[in-house]
Amino acid sequence: MAGSALRRLMAEYKQLTLNPPEGIVAGPINEENFFDWECLIVGPDGTCFEGGVFPAKLTFPTDYPLSPPKMQFTCEMFHPNIYSDGRVCISILHAPGDDPLGYESSAERWSPVQSVEKILLSVISMLAEPNDESGANIDAAKMWRENRAEFDRIATRIVRKSLNIPL
């Protein structure tokens, strides 16, 4: 199984280098191990994360693409759909099939037709439009809903920190 996963990851990496989506850089940490990737995601224009450059890592299972990778930001993030340790919580990264809690449809969850590019584009979309109904970070979700000015202030500080601009 790992052989087909490796071939798939190599093909996706080639595609990302030939035709990189705007605001995304991603690839294996080293070419000896295609199952651990690093990414840089630029905060989307017109959002409180605009202009920030946020590093993250993707860890792929040996049965990829049958199972989804795990994604974790390696910098400080404050967002309703990002756990305090940086793990990303979005539907596309949830195991395929029915949601045991009944919140997500199986069509929203991982399927082998997804790709690294689709994951990263979904994360950019998530940064722009959080799902505050399914908060991985309850404090961020509550602040997003009830005190957007304070949320934006924290996001601006995180953007500045991501760029090594004095706070």
Side-chain angles (χ1 to χ4, degrees), residues 76-111:
E76 179 184 353
M77 290 299 282
F78 186 74
H79 188 280
N81 308 116
I82 301 172
Y83 289 99
S84 59
D85 67 359
R87 288 177 295 133
V88 175
C89 180
I90 56 174
S91 300
I92 193 174
L93 292 176
H94 294 161
D98 293 328
D99 179 3
L101 301 175
Y103 182 75
E104 301 165 332
S105 75
S106 60
E108 296 173 298
R109 296 167 68 90
W110 179 259
S111 80

Side-chain angles (χ1 to χ4, degrees), residues 2 5-7 9-18 25-38 60:
L6 178 59
R7 283 190 297 280
L9 287 168
M10 290 172 80
E12 289 194 45
Y13 176 53
K14 182 178 180 181
Q15 182 61 35
L16 281 171
T17 56
L18 293 175
V25 177
I29 293 170
N30 70 61
E31 295 197 2
E32 300 297 314
N33 179 3
F34 264 78
F35 291 89
D36 292 317
W37 287 33
E38 55 191 354
F60 296 89

